[in-house]
Amino acid sequence: MRRIARAPWELLKRAFGWLVLFEARNKLLLLPSAVRLRRFEDAETTRLAALLGRPPYARVATVIATHRRPDALRAAVRSALAQTVADQVVIVVDDGAGLPELPADPRLFAVSLARNTATAGVVRNVGIRLTRSRYVAFLDDDNLWEPDHLEQALAALDAPGGPDAVYTALRRVLPDGTERDVLSVPFDRRRAAHEAFLDTNAFVARRSRALHFSRLRRTPEVLPREDWELIRRYARRHEVRHLPRPTVRYLVNPGSFYTAWDGA
């Protein structure tokens, strides 16, 4: 009987993908909190824009969301500022915990939300909305980029017939510094309905109305993650390509504030 009862679910998974089905459930259950968070995001964007004055502008804007990781954040900021692409602004958005001292650099801007949201999508959206650029890139506060990460991405994006967005390979490392593996999967939107291989630390995209994160409050147990939702939704009307070169040093962090890893 149990096998018979599960048959419709298995058919739906095969037809649509388990990640798509889980996301539909998330939207149904978490929509009320998303509406409240959208209002907060709008208010904070207005407040912080007034503090910044003229919006930071460059060819590419790098958004770093952070929460209580001062040392890791400084390392992430240094790796962003060390990019071979100089025409860049870096905006750090703190999720209400307070900002540590950061490097003095005219390309670096840092703001703190009025309260903690525990919602990575809202934090990153504020960073997107406070900046002006042709392209947007994302870096978490516990990860690092190779110096040519943006150079590799922008070369592909600006090439004749180039896509709207690219994502590079991730070199995933454990907390002790040992390499776990390299995640490098060619983009396939259908495959992404069944496998969670998309991560915005490797993602550089042309700015558009579609480039915003889900505002659902995703606890570590909620799957899929906001990275998957953004890239797969962006790919509905934009071309996304994979670059197989590893340019991101990604910490597989069991204690991450935003991400839970299943060890798969």
Side-chain angles (χ1 to χ4, degrees):
M1 288 297 294
R2 181 178 297 179
R3 184 175 299 176
I4 294 173
R6 287 183 57 85
W9 168 247
E10 295 300 327
L11 288 173
L12 287 170
K13 280 202 305 182
R14 195 173 300 117
F16 298 103
W18 72 270
L19 288 162
V20 173
L21 296 175
F22 273 43
E23 184 64 8
R25 178 204 61 184
N26 294 340
K27 290 177 179 177
L28 180 65
L29 297 177
L30 302 175
L31 181 61
S33 66
V35 172
R36 292 192 296 271
L37 285 166
R38 173 59 192 262
R39 290 197 291 265
F40 177 78
E41 179 189 309
D42 291 345
E44 283 298 277
T45 300
T46 300
R47 180 181 72 85
L48 294 169
L51 292 177
L52 286 176
R54 185 178 180 182
Y57 175 82
R59 183 183 178 197
V60 57
T62 295
V63 177
I64 302 179
T66 188
H67 185 264
R68 293 182 177 173
R69 289 200 189 112
D71 294 334
L73 171 62
R74 281 187 281 264
V77 167
R78 286 194 296 268
S79 81
L81 294 174
Q83 292 297 296
T84 54
V85 172
D87 191 2
Q88 177 199 192
V89 293
V90 177
I91 184 160
V92 174
V93 184
D94 160 60
D95 194 12
L99 286 161
E101 184 176 350
L102 295 172
D105 191 295
R107 298 170 296 166
L108 176 63
F109 301 82
V111 297
S112 189
L113 301 186
R115 64 171 175 83
N116 175 252
T117 67
T119 307
V122 169
V123 183
R124 293 169 180 156
N125 284 345
V126 170
I128 296 170
R129 295 173 66 178
L130 288 176
T131 56
R132 301 292 181 269
S133 61
R134 184 175 185 185
Y135 300 111
V136 183
F138 305 96
L139 181 61
D140 289 347
D141 62 1
D142 56 349
N143 297 321
L144 303 172
W145 283 342
E146 297 296 337
D148 64 344
H149 171 70
L150 291 180
E151 180 182 349
Q152 295 290 325
L154 296 183
L157 292 167
D158 286 338
D164 298 299
V166 297
Y167 63 96
T168 61
L170 292 170
R171 189 180 308 280
R172 300 194 292 189
V173 297
L174 300 174
D176 64 3
T178 59
E179 182 176 321
R180 170 182 166 174
D181 59 17
V182 172
L183 180 64
S184 181
V185 180
F187 184 73
D188 182 317
R189 195 166 183 273
R190 174 65 180 170
R191 182 176 180 178
H194 301 266
E195 299 177 34
F197 57 84
L198 301 172
D199 190 281
T200 52
N201 283 275
F203 186 63
V204 183
R206 196 180 310 275
R207 189 182 287 265
S208 80
R209 292 174 63 89
L211 193 65
H212 63 82
F213 284 87
S214 160
R215 298 171 179 91
L216 301 183
R217 177 169 285 153
R218 300 171 193 262
T219 61
E221 296 77 22
V222 175
L223 296 175
R225 309 307 297 167
E226 53 279 315
D227 299 52
W228 174 92
E229 192 279 335
L230 169 65
I231 298 175
R232 193 169 185 277
R233 173 171 44 79
Y234 186 88
R236 286 178 189 163
R237 294 182 174 85
H238 299 80
E239 183 183 356
V240 176
R241 291 183 194 167
H242 175 55
L243 305 180
R245 178 170 176 173
T247 64
V248 181
R249 186 174 175 84
Y250 189 101
L251 176 63
V252 179
N253 185 1
S256 172
F257 181 73
Y258 290 132
T259 304
W261 285 85
D262 60 10

